[in-house]
Amino acid sequence: MTKLLEKAFEDASRLPAEDQDALAEMLLSNLASEERWTDAFTKSQDKLAQLANEALAEFKQGKTKPIEENSDFSHN
């Protein structure tokens, strides 16, 4: 365990039990979410590669166009 994580657990241990449980639930939820994202991303590599190849082929065939700055496409 890293020093920073040790300090976080040490500091958290001084919180009231209710706050400790809330923090634990958030941490466990974050860890589970990260695991799901990693799993989903790993399983999607073949599909992502296929889509990238299709997009590149369309670009090389001149079937694509640049996204306009004022288009309906969101640039967030």
Side-chain angles (χ1 to χ4, degrees):
M1 182 181 313
T2 68
K3 299 272 187 208
L4 184 59
L5 187 56
E6 284 179 13
K7 180 172 179 2
F9 283 139
E10 180 183 319
D11 290 356
S13 72
R14 292 191 287 274
L15 295 171
E18 184 178 295
D19 292 344
Q20 288 185 35
D21 285 346
L23 181 61
E25 286 178 11
M26 287 189 305
L27 180 58
L28 291 170
S29 177
N30 267 350
L31 291 171
S33 177
E34 185 65 31
E35 188 174 319
R36 285 190 302 273
W37 272 108
T38 299
D39 187 48
F41 187 71
T42 299
K43 289 179 178 178
S44 67
Q45 290 301 296
D46 290 341
K47 183 63 175 174
L48 290 173
Q50 176 188 347
L51 291 171
N53 287 336
E54 289 174 15
L56 186 56
E58 289 177 6
F59 173 76
K60 288 179 178 178
Q61 294 169 9
K63 295 181 178 179
T64 62
K65 60 182 178 178
I67 296 173
E68 298 293 328
E69 286 293 323
N70 296 322
S71 71
D72 292 336
F73 184 77
S74 175
H75 296 292
N76 295 338

